[in-house]
């Protein structure tokens, strides 16, 4: 089955044997009747499993070409489940230009449990190997990165992971499986903040993990059930509804992203535009090789790198909503230094390029001309 068909039908066989409903029903139930102890129809208790969530988990697996999918109450709950594979003394080599919440979870919670994190520039993937020791158990890759839109070579990272027998997990939130399928490139675990593009309508907070390997799936499923950070049936239904248009939404996000990036690049008041579709992007060739298109996430810096200029622009925008998050049908703008990345010390964030005047756009699926006109009036 091709991707566009999978977005609608993937994993969705036999969802309603009772009445043949085309959409999986919302099984709003905590428990399931048994005819004799242990005599049930596959579901016992909704933390362990729920038919609506199970339909969604099969859809996640299908979209990423995995064999097993797991849905969580948020993206961070999904990352938390991956980290629970580790033990005190273990080490992780992580992307340095990282989603702020992931960085906070790693450093403020898991470091206290005795896990050591190395935050590493992975623009040249061979750099990962310099930080691998006998204690390394996990490589954590986010690509494209947030908000600098750096690209990391997943195949090269997978080769290093295989050589040293460590797990490779990829946060695929920005790319989505429409643009990039990490399991196909050799990753062991794909993670999503499904809150963003997968849901696509800014109305559900959710996370996902997808794997191919049965043993790894069993360990993660054990953690999902034992720790209990699951999502409810109503949210599972909304996510399934969102997934069905992922391919058409992503196509338009990419088209609009290209137009907006090209407009910004020619603007006299703008200094740098970060978007992997530009030939001048440091890892454009890798992006071209591992992604099907370049997406609708763009960051840029105004000339002079003035904090107040950036604030004025995001306040002046009318169609772009000033808000955290990304990946919805509506366009959003954010100011990482004061919003998503405020929890990272200024010195640390500036090392990775998150300067005071950096603005991040999540280009939505409105008419591109209207979006460009809005930027034009806001930048002035
Ligand atoms: C939002 C986000 C997360 C966290 O997901 P939540 O659903 O907000 O918990 C992780 N990684 C990336 C890249 C994100 O954008």
């Amino acid at each position: 089955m091709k991707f566009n068909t999978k977005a609608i039908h993937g994993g969705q066989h036999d969802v309603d044997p009772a009445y043949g409903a085309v959409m999986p029903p919302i099984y709003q139930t905590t428990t399931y009747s048994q005819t004799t102890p242990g005599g049930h129809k596959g579901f016992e208790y909704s933390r362990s499993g729920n038919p609506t969530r199970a339909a969604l988990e099969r859809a996640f697996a299908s979209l990423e070409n995995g064999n097993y999918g797991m849905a969580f109450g948020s993206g961070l709950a999904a990352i938390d489940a991956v980290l629970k594979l580790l033990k005190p003394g273990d080490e992780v080599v992580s992307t340095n230009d990282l989603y702020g919440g992931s960085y906070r979870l790693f450093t403020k919670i898991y470091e206290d449990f005795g896990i050591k994190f190395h935050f590493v520039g992975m623009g040249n993937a061979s750099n990962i190997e310099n930080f691998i020791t006998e204690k390394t158990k996990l490589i954590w890759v986010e690509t494209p990165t947030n908000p600098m839109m750096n690209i990391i070579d997943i195949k090269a990272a997978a080769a290093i992971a295989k050589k040293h027998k460590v797990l490779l997990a990829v946060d695929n939130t920005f790319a989505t499986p429409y643009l990039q399928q990490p399991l196909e490139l050799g990753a062991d675990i794909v993670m999503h903040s499904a809150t963003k593009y997968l849901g696509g309508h800014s109305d559900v907070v959710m996370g996902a993990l997808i794997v191919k390997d049965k043993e790894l799936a069993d360990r993660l499923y054990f953690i999902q059930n034992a720790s209990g950070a699951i999502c409810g049936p109503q949210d599972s239904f909304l996510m399934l509804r969102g997934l069905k248009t992922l391919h058409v939404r992503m196509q338009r996000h990419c088209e609009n992203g290209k137009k907006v990036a090209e407009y910004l690049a020619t603007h006299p008041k703008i200094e740098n535009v970060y978007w992997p579709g530009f030939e001048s992007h440091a890892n454009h060739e890798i992006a071209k090789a591992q992604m099907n298109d370049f997406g609708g996430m763009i960051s840029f810096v105004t000339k002079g790198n003035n904090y107040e200029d950036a604030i004025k622009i995001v306040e002046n925008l009318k169609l772009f909503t000033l808000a955290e998050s990304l990946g919805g049908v509506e366009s959003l703008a954010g100011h990482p230094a004061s919003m998503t990345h405020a929890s990272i010390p200024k010195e640390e964030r500036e090392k990775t390029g998150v300067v005071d005047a950096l603005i991040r756009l999540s280009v939505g699926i409105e008419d591109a001309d209207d979006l460009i006109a809005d930027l034009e009036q806001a930048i002035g």
Side-chain angles (χ1 to χ4, degrees), residues 97-115:
D97 171 20
L98 194 67
Y99 175 70
S102 307
Y103 180 82
R104 182 177 56 195
L105 178 65
F106 292 176
T107 56
K108 294 280 176 4
I109 303 220
Y110 278 93
E111 275 183 0
D112 284 352
F113 289 150
I115 293 168

Side-chain angles (χ1 to χ4, degrees), residues 74-77 79 99 102 142 146 171 173-174 191 193-196 205-206 326:
S74 70
L76 281 169
I79 302 175
Y99 175 70
S102 307
E142 190 181 311
N146 177 23
D171 183 336
T173 300
F174 270 38
M191 173 263 150
S193 170
T195 312
K196 316 292 169 54
V205 174
M206 191 184 287
L326 61 110

Side-chain angles (χ1 to χ4, degrees), residues 87-244:
K87 291 193 170 56
D90 287 350
E91 295 188 8
V92 179
V93 181
S94 165
T95 307
N96 63 345
D97 171 20
L98 194 67
Y99 175 70
S102 307
Y103 180 82
R104 182 177 56 195
L105 178 65
F106 292 176
T107 56
K108 294 280 176 4
I109 303 220
Y110 278 93
E111 275 183 0
D112 284 352
F113 289 150
I115 293 168
K116 188 168 175 186
F117 294 86
H118 301 273
F119 296 97
V120 172
M122 295 183 175
N124 182 349
S126 65
N127 192 31
I128 296 170
E129 205 154 20
N130 299 330
F131 294 85
I132 291 191
T133 72
E134 276 163 22
K135 294 176 180 165
T136 309
K137 293 288 151 57
L138 175 69
I139 299 171
W140 186 269
V141 164
E142 190 181 311
T143 181
T145 65
N146 177 23
M148 296 311 297
M149 306 307 297
N150 290 317
I151 299 292
I152 296 162
D153 187 339
I154 298 173
K155 243 188 204 166
I160 293 166
K162 291 268 168 331
K163 180 173 158 199
H164 295 277
K165 297 193 171 59
V166 304
L167 290 173
L168 171 65
V170 175
D171 183 336
N172 205 27
T173 300
F174 270 38
T176 83
Y178 176 84
L179 294 180
Q180 159 179 297
Q181 298 180 344
L183 297 178
E184 294 296 291
L185 300 168
D188 300 291
I189 303 171
V190 172
M191 173 263 150
H192 277 281
S193 170
T195 312
K196 316 292 169 54
Y197 285 107
L198 297 189
H201 295 74
S202 308
D203 52 9
V204 182
V205 174
M206 191 184 287
L209 296 178
I210 303 104
V211 302
K212 281 196 167 174
D213 181 67
K214 166 94 168 66
E215 198 187 324
L216 183 57
D218 286 346
R219 288 171 69 200
L220 288 167
Y221 173 70
F222 178 85
I223 293 165
Q224 184 197 33
N225 183 45
S227 290
I230 49 129
C231 54
Q234 179 94 33
D235 282 355
S236 299
F237 175 87
L238 285 170
M239 186 57 57
L240 270 165
R241 168 201 259 241
L243 287 185
K244 285 177 191 287

Side-chain angles (χ1 to χ4, degrees), residues 363-380:
V363 179
I365 63 171
E366 302 94 336
D367 190 285
D369 292 343
D370 288 335
L371 296 177
I372 288 169
D374 191 30
L375 287 162
E376 180 80 26
Q377 66 80 20
I379 297 165

